[in-house]
Amino acid sequence: RRGSGFGWAPVGGWWCFPVLLHPGKMTMTDLFMQAFNEFGNVLVLVGSADAVVPAGLKTMIADLSGVVGISAGEIKMFLCLMLAYPLGVVWRHLPTPTAKHMFSIVVGLYMLVFVYGFQWIHVIISASLAFLIMKVGGPKSRHITAAVVMLYLACMHIYRQVIDYLGWTIDVTFALMVVTQKLHGLAFNYYDGNCENPTDEQKALSTEKLPSLLEFFSFLLFPSGVIMGPCVEFTDYIKFANGEVEIPAPYLPGLRRAGMGIFYFGLSQVISSYYPTKTLLSDEKFLTSGNLFTRFGIQLISLIGYRTRYYFAWKFSEGAMILSGIGFNGIDKDSGKYRWDRVEAIDVRGFDFGQSLRQSAA
């Protein structure tokens, strides 16, 4: 395939490296975008959902998408969020740490390919870069590691903004944001485990040595959190994987979180049916009717409906983490009840009613 910018030159039936054609006709932005697109074409050759998803399932998803009016990507994500519940139970009952690590890698990778297609490779690239930096640079490479993974994520976000500005497309940045948090945390926990005079807070999550590649990718691809989180610390993950924590029955707390997620989903659907955000912004009748305070109030209600769809996904995924056991956080000293808040994607009350940005983000 040939054209302006980067093209692929077939030689003897094989695809060679990109060659630059007509560079004088393109700006630097054009070159960057074309190179990124061609890089994506290479990744299609590496692997895509077409190779692992049965044709019947793809047809069912496409038909369901047409009936309910949401994208196939959203349906795939929802299916994985539901599947994460039984997978969490299976993971918790596997007999050995190695079995749990292998299960996480195989199943988590399949879920990435199923939802994001060939874009799964970006998770592996970012993770491999981080591991290589920490392996070569040691504990003091924490800032370099954090900068590289954040830069990789930023490039993915910028690319998405260019090709789908203000759009809402399911792509790998959903998973990559969680992976970036995990890599960032691991880099600093590795430093904390090797620094002089660490604080009690540093000691709590520190690790003295890098995990093996099996443990590393198992941690990143853990099925209960690989699609949308929530993020878990490596030291917590490895303790539960090694069976070092005795876990009470997690079924009722996990189902409660699922119920919370379903509640937020219903709330989102009800509000959006009356006050759809995007429609309001382009509706001349709405923009010219009533007074400023009335329009502002309606938009505020509309945005509540818009963000509760995220509350649904986050709370629903917390339930899967609880069923895997990792959500268990000991016993409350005051009430004597079990706590299931070790891993939380969001504190909805704290976020919505925080008195400052700092409180909402805490």
Side-chain angles (χ1 to χ4, degrees), residues 77-263:
M77 182 174 287
F78 180 69
L79 289 175
C80 284
L81 289 175
M82 292 184 63
L83 189 61
Y85 277 69
L87 289 176
V89 175
V90 171
W91 184 89
R92 184 164 52 87
H93 286 96
L94 289 174
T96 65
T98 300
K100 291 178 179 178
H101 296 325
M102 293 298 297
F103 182 83
S104 290
I105 291 173
V106 173
V107 176
L109 192 58
Y110 185 92
M111 292 170 76
L112 284 179
V113 175
F114 175 68
V115 176
Y116 304 117
F118 68 87
Q119 293 182 357
W120 65 269
I121 196 67
H122 290 293
V123 171
I124 305 302
I125 292 174
S126 179
S128 300
L129 287 172
F131 189 86
L132 181 62
I133 293 169
M134 288 186 285
K135 190 72 173 178
V136 174
K140 294 184 178 180
S141 63
R142 65 198 185 284
H143 292 120
I144 299 175
T145 304
V148 168
V149 296
M150 283 295 293
L151 180 61
Y152 197 99
L153 176 62
C155 287
M156 294 298 297
H157 277 304
I158 292 170
Y159 178 71
R160 173 175 171 166
Q161 287 294 307
V162 172
I163 64 171
D164 188 29
Y165 183 66
L166 293 182
W168 203 89
T169 306
I170 299 292
D171 73 353
V172 77
T173 54
F174 281 85
L176 197 58
M177 285 187 286
V178 179
V179 168
T180 300
Q181 291 180 66
K182 288 183 174 182
L183 294 171
H184 189 283
L186 177 59
F188 278 83
N189 292 340
Y190 182 34
Y191 170 78
D192 291 341
N194 292 273
C195 69
E196 297 181 1
N197 303 318
T199 64
D200 291 338
E201 186 178 6
Q202 286 177 303
K203 291 178 183 178
L205 298 172
S206 65
T207 178
E208 294 183 2
K209 61 179 183 178
L210 276 179
S212 67
L213 280 174
L214 183 68
E215 294 171 333
F216 178 72
F217 280 106
S218 168
F219 163 61
L220 296 179
L221 299 174
F222 180 54
S224 293
V226 69
I227 298 299
M228 281 195 70
C231 181
V232 59
E233 297 286 353
F234 173 75
T235 46
D236 287 336
Y237 175 78
I238 209 67
K239 281 193 298 186
F240 283 91
N242 291 339
E244 299 174 15
V245 181
E246 186 176 347
I247 308 166
Y251 301 105
L252 189 57
L255 293 177
R256 284 200 191 105
R257 294 296 174 90
M260 291 174 64
I262 293 171
F263 166 77

Side-chain angles (χ1 to χ4, degrees), residues 2-3 12 105 107-108 148 220 272 276 309 314 339 344 346 356:
R2 294 183 179 275
I105 291 173
V107 176
V148 168
L220 296 179
S272 297
R309 68 169 68 178
W314 289 331
R339 293 178 57 187
E344 283 193 316
I346 186 172
S356 65

